[in-house]
Amino acid sequence: MTALVFDCDGVLADTERHGHLPAFNATFERFGLPVRWTEREYGEKLKIGGGKERMASLFADPAFAAAVGDADRTELLLAWHKAKTAAFKQLVADGRVPPRPGIARIIHAALDAGWVVAVASTSAEESVRAVLEKAVGPNSIPVFAGDVVPAKKPDPAIYDLTVARLGLDRARTLVIEDSRNGLLAATGAGLRCLVTVNDYTRGESFDESVLVVSELGDPGRTPIEVLANRGAARPGDYVTLDDMRACLEEPR
């Protein structure tokens, strides 16, 4: 049984710049918090897995902690994150978070071919499901997300859980990621990984990946850029399901 397991943010859609960043900043404004993240600052925050964890990092600034006061931090973070998730979902519903090229094509092709398709993300499950439905339409694709595991990527727990719950063969499972943290989570679970970079992650190291591309691509679009290839796939203008199957084979 061959399987594809997709990360969500930066893989299914360009969620970070168009979704999460504006949703975080809208939440900060709503709660009167003395912070607004720039794109550069948010790029640094992406090294932290999980939205609540990124918000929690704000308390490392004594000035921010003093401005917030002595309220229970756990309750504050839960309230902030709930509001941020609602703001993000609205952006998705409004069509402000575009699916990445090739996602719908590859997922439908894999399902038609009888492959198992799943999503494994450290983002809130309701956010992930909103992005997935916007990208591929109504579906029954299993999603493993949020706090279903105790540790976020680069810990492999979310991928170990996905493999166990779905009964996947690690040798026949390919993960699609966009960041080094995601890549390390996948390979830490003994899974091969194809990376589709974005503007935030393009400069990261992906030495453990089998294939690194600028995007999955689609017919009629500008040809993809192959940034690294350590496997048997030989993609042309866009990545095909046969290329993904080849990523699971040993290079010749």
Side-chain angles (χ1 to χ4, degrees):
M1 181 170 58
T2 308
L4 287 180
V5 182
F6 292 82
D7 176 38
C8 175
D9 295 317
V11 173
L12 296 182
D14 191 2
T15 55
E16 302 297 3
R17 174 173 286 105
H18 299 294
H20 289 299
L21 175 56
F24 275 120
N25 283 337
T27 301
F28 299 153
E29 182 176 4
R30 172 180 170 182
F31 285 88
L33 302 177
V35 61
R36 302 291 186 275
W37 284 333
T38 65
E39 286 197 4
R40 182 187 61 79
E41 290 168 335
Y42 186 61
E44 289 298 311
K45 292 297 181 183
L46 288 177
K47 297 175 182 178
I48 303 170
K52 288 194 296 292
E53 290 78 5
R54 288 170 198 154
M55 286 179 160
S57 72
L58 292 168
F59 287 101
D61 179 358
F64 178 88
V68 171
D70 298 326
D72 184 277
R73 292 185 180 182
T74 299
E75 292 184 2
L76 286 175
L77 288 169
L78 287 173
W80 296 346
H81 193 253
K82 182 178 180 180
K84 181 262 172 183
T85 298
F88 176 83
K89 287 176 63 180
Q90 189 60 54
L91 289 168
V92 174
D94 291 344
R96 302 279 296 278
V97 184
R100 292 199 69 185
I103 288 297
R105 174 178 58 82
I106 285 291
I107 287 179
H108 288 304
L111 292 172
D112 289 345
W115 292 24
V116 173
V117 176
V119 177
S121 169
T122 53
S123 290
E125 182 176 345
E126 55 186 307
S127 294
V128 174
R129 290 193 181 278
V131 172
L132 178 60
E133 183 164 342
K134 197 71 174 179
V136 302
N139 63 86
S140 57
I141 294 170
V143 170
F144 303 91
D147 296 325
V148 292
V149 290
K152 302 293 178 73
K153 300 172 185 178
D155 191 284
I158 190 70
Y159 286 119
D160 284 331
L161 176 69
T162 302
V163 167
R165 290 277 183 88
L166 298 179
L168 303 180
D169 178 351
R170 292 177 197 264
R172 303 302 306 162
T173 299
L174 181 67
V175 171
I176 316 300
E177 273 284 359
D178 72 310
S179 69
R180 177 154 185 79
N181 275 351
L183 168 64
L184 292 177
T187 56
L191 304 173
R192 293 194 180 191
C193 185
L194 182 160
V195 175
T196 59
V197 299
N198 57 59
D199 289 344
Y200 284 118
T201 66
R202 192 179 183 96
E204 295 181 359
S205 172
F206 298 114
D207 291 345
E208 300 86 353
S209 66
V210 64
L211 179 65
V212 184
V213 293
S214 54
E215 60 178 63
L216 296 180
D218 269 323
R221 284 181 58 82
T222 300
I224 65 169
E225 184 179 357
V226 177
L227 303 175
N229 190 353
R230 303 175 184 87
R234 296 295 179 265
D237 290 349
Y238 52 90
V239 176
T240 67
L241 197 62
D242 284 340
D243 292 322
M244 292 190 166
R245 184 182 291 107
C247 285
L248 295 169
E249 302 171 357
E250 292 298 328
R252 296 173 183 174

